[in-house]
Amino acid sequence: LRQRVIERTEDFQPDVVAAHSLGSLIAYDAFSRPDGAGSIRGRVFLSFGSQIGHRFVRGVFAGQLRPLDAAMWYHLHNPRDPVFTSPLRFSSPNFRQVITRDLDGWDEHAARGYLQHPQTAEHVWKPLASKEFVPNLLQPV
């Protein structure tokens, strides 16, 4: 799976890679390894409903999590999500955690609730659509 994520990212050349739940674990695994780090460089990574920071999952990553070499990494976290999600604690200029609690009637783990949350609109979609950010995405990878 890791290799497939890398290949698809390189073939498709997306500006944003969005990964939910188990998909976020697979994508993080792919992009955090030396052979996949270049695939996320210059792109935005959006993780949500993610178990990346959960204490039982961290062991898969040798107990250490580190920021990705992405242009920006947004991590949407809902503290009420029951699917072992976890906040991330990075101090990095290319990382931002966005709290998306109370998904207003949506299942607390549903991708749609995360992506349509007002905090996501304000802290992810709005910056991504700004004049300051868009030119950075258009730089060669």
Side-chain angles (χ1 to χ4, degrees):
L1 283 175
R2 178 176 42 245
Q3 190 58 39
R4 192 166 192 173
V5 167
I6 293 166
E7 289 169 2
R8 297 296 171 143
T9 302
E10 291 174 358
D11 288 346
F12 186 69
Q13 296 288 316
D15 292 327
V16 179
V17 174
H20 177 250
S21 198
L22 179 58
S24 70
L25 292 171
I26 295 166
Y28 179 79
D29 187 42
F31 299 139
S32 66
R33 294 176 181 261
D35 62 331
S39 298
I40 197 66
R41 192 171 295 126
R43 304 181 203 293
V44 173
F45 183 62
L46 174 63
S47 56
F48 51 104
S50 177
Q51 300 82 15
I52 293 170
H54 194 276
R55 64 185 178 162
F56 293 114
V57 173
R58 279 193 307 256
V60 173
F61 303 114
Q64 297 181 352
L65 299 176
R66 57 185 164 75
L68 296 174
D69 191 16
M72 189 65 186
W73 177 2
Y74 294 101
H75 180 73
L76 308 181
H77 176 63
N78 172 12
R80 296 179 67 185
D81 188 326
V83 188
F84 303 111
T85 62
S86 181
L88 295 175
R89 290 165 176 67
F90 294 128
S91 178
S92 177
N94 72 332
F95 176 80
R96 179 152 195 191
Q97 182 161 256
V98 178
I99 303 299
T100 56
R101 73 174 36 93
D102 299 327
L103 297 180
D104 292 335
W106 292 102
D107 167 31
E108 295 290 342
H109 188 66
R112 191 174 192 180
Y114 276 100
L115 297 176
Q116 292 182 347
H117 195 278
Q119 291 295 330
T120 305
E122 183 65 27
H123 298 288
V124 178
W125 305 136
K126 191 174 178 181
L128 285 178
S130 75
K131 289 182 201 175
E132 292 78 34
F133 198 85
V134 171
N136 292 332
L137 287 177
L138 300 177
Q139 299 301 316
V141 190

